[in-house]
Amino acid sequence: MKERINWIDWSKFMAITLVVIGHLPMEPGNPVHVYINCFHMPFFMFLSGYLTKRSDSFTKNLKKDWTGIILPFLLYNAVLYPYAMAKSYTVGVPISFTNYVLNPFLGVTTLSLFHGLINGPTWFLVALFFSRIVLDFSNRLKYKYTFLVIISTLFFIFYEVNEYYVFTEKFVLIGFARCLPYFLLGKLLQGKIVASKCQYRLLLSATIVTGVASIGASLFLYDISIFFIRIQVLQLICICAIIFFTCISLLFNSIKLNFVVNISIGTLVIFGLHWACIGCFNQLFQCIFGIDQIKYEMWQVLLLAVLIEVILYPLIKSLPPMWLGKRKEIVAQIRYKRKP
């Protein structure tokens, strides 16, 4: 088995933690919430592109996608079905075959293109699957990079136009259109980011500059009244933030923690189950404090994000490999290697 890349583990750990934080309810306009939601999913897609390896065989690629994307997508939607239906009942959705059986079934089987998903955050897996299909198709073309530039530009324009006119609210379509360029950027940089070749001072300088730029710009994002300028500033924040957290990960490369590695291995477990954890915590606190809509303070958000990862951590170490989106032999090697 190849040696794990430690900065990648740190990046995935940070990315999934940002996803959990971004999904916890905070007051509208909370600067941390605004900042994280500017880039956390493109950052994840960038890392996915960086790690994606494809063969010339469509069958081999589809088999890999079945194990790594489609099967986990089906599993995490199926396991959250009782939770989602209970939640629908508590908010007053009328009990009917259409609402509680047909629509959830169509949402999963049509990959959320025509109906909503049972497990909302799993739209990312569908977008990742489509991104890999685009990459596979481009590999069969003579002018591969020209095609990728054109397709990325077209989907990016679609995303910007939809943000203005809002003719669809489907997370899969919007997320795919926004994140595809970052997936392809990650793939383009694959193997080119080497921690041992990074100069510490240069890395630290890049971390400070991109951190200040991305955080500073996010504070004024919604003060920009001209939509076209605001959407371009959003992309600038996204790019700077991705560089910022990549640089932080590279700075942490010499620090190896089993917790970070295992969270990195089990990002799909966090992805697939954190939504239900958040919903349960919300419902619990709303009942205890008699609040209709819970909104957390920043310290509470950080505490809950850590708590959710701690709760799900044993599942990462014990669930069958298919829940982690990995082959049995790979997970066995990883777990065996890390036994004391």
Side-chain angles (χ1 to χ4, degrees):
M1 186 182 69
K2 291 184 178 179
E3 184 76 18
R4 293 192 66 82
I5 304 173
N6 198 44
W7 76 264
I8 288 289
D9 284 331
W10 274 104
S11 292
K12 290 174 67 180
F13 169 75
M14 291 180 189
I16 196 62
T17 302
L18 290 169
V19 168
V20 176
I21 292 172
H23 284 157
L24 283 159
M26 290 183 255
E27 289 293 338
N30 181 290
V32 175
H33 203 247
V34 170
Y35 178 60
I36 289 174
N37 282 291
C38 284
F39 72 91
H40 67 312
M41 295 316 302
F43 182 35
F44 228 113
M45 192 64 88
F46 170 81
L47 294 172
S48 298
Y50 189 88
L51 295 170
T52 293
K53 295 180 180 178
R54 311 300 275 173
S55 72
D56 294 331
S57 169
F58 176 78
T59 304
K60 287 183 180 178
N61 289 338
L62 189 59
K63 186 178 179 180
K64 184 183 292 185
D65 290 340
W66 168 258
T67 302
I69 298 178
I70 300 172
L71 182 57
F73 169 80
L74 296 173
L75 287 171
Y76 286 115
N77 275 278
V79 78
L80 254 69
Y81 175 77
Y83 164 79
M85 295 307 99
K87 186 175 180 181
S88 296
Y89 179 76
T90 58
V91 297
V93 175
I95 298 177
S96 69
F97 177 80
T98 300
N99 291 335
Y100 286 80
V101 179
L102 182 61
N103 286 346
F105 175 78
L106 291 175
V108 173
T109 55
T110 63
L111 302 181
S112 187
L113 294 176
F114 304 104
H115 292 270
L117 287 171
I118 297 169
N119 190 346
T122 57
W123 69 262
F124 172 80
L125 294 176
V126 182
L128 178 57
F129 177 60
F130 289 155
S131 297
R132 288 185 172 183
I133 289 175
V134 169
L135 184 62
D136 287 344
F137 181 76
S138 71
N139 287 335
R140 289 162 171 74
L141 299 177
K142 181 179 180 180
Y143 300 104
K144 169 183 175 179
Y145 293 106
T146 302
F147 168 77
L148 291 177
V149 168
I150 292 172
I151 200 74
S152 296
T153 303
L154 289 175
F155 275 109
F156 185 73
I157 292 172
F158 167 82
Y159 166 74
E160 291 195 343
V161 172
N162 186 71
E163 285 294 289
Y164 188 80
Y165 291 106
V166 193
F167 47 80
T168 180
E169 294 183 353
K170 297 297 181 185
F171 281 134
V172 168
L173 292 175
I174 299 169
F176 171 66
R178 185 187 180 199
C179 293
L180 176 64
Y182 297 100
F183 173 84
L184 297 175
L185 177 62
K187 180 62 180 175
L188 184 65
L189 294 175
Q190 190 175 73
K192 294 180 174 64
I193 305 175
V194 183
S196 60
K197 295 182 179 180
C198 295
Q199 296 182 6
Y200 178 78
R201 289 184 179 180
L202 182 61
L203 200 57
L204 185 59
S205 298
T207 304
I208 294 171
V209 170
T210 54
V212 170
S214 58
I215 295 170
S218 71
L219 295 175
F220 303 100
L221 179 63
Y222 291 103
D223 292 331
I224 302 172
S225 58
I226 301 174
F227 173 81
F228 178 77
I229 296 176
R230 185 170 69 247
I231 203 76
Q232 306 314 318
V233 172
L234 173 63
Q235 303 314 318
L236 178 64
I237 294 169
C238 192
I239 292 170
C240 287
I242 289 173
I243 297 172
F244 175 50
F245 279 94
T246 301
C247 287
I248 292 175
S249 300
L250 288 165
L251 289 171
F252 286 176
N253 185 62
S254 61
I255 305 172
K256 294 188 178 182
L257 300 176
N258 279 351
F259 182 80
V260 170
V261 172
N262 283 315
I263 292 293
S264 172
I265 293 167
T267 49
L268 276 182
V269 177
I270 309 291
F271 230 117
L273 299 178
H274 79 279
W275 191 248
C277 291
I278 290 173
C280 290
F281 277 121
N282 291 347
Q283 191 67 37
L284 176 64
F285 294 136
Q286 284 171 195
C287 291
I288 292 173
F289 299 109
I291 303 171
D292 290 333
Q293 294 293 329
I294 193 85
K295 302 292 181 185
Y296 298 111
E297 299 292 336
M298 195 60 234
W299 69 270
Q300 296 169 325
V301 165
L302 294 175
L303 183 62
L304 283 173
V306 172
L307 183 58
I308 288 169
E309 291 188 351
V310 169
I311 289 171
L312 297 178
Y313 186 75
L315 295 179
I316 293 171
K317 301 185 73 175
S318 60
L319 281 173
M322 61 184 180
W323 292 85
L324 280 69
K326 302 183 187 302
R327 298 196 307 274
K328 183 178 181 179
E329 58 270 22
I330 291 178
V331 174
Q333 287 175 332
I334 292 168
R335 287 174 175 167
Y336 175 78
K337 183 179 178 181
R338 302 205 171 270
K339 286 182 181 179

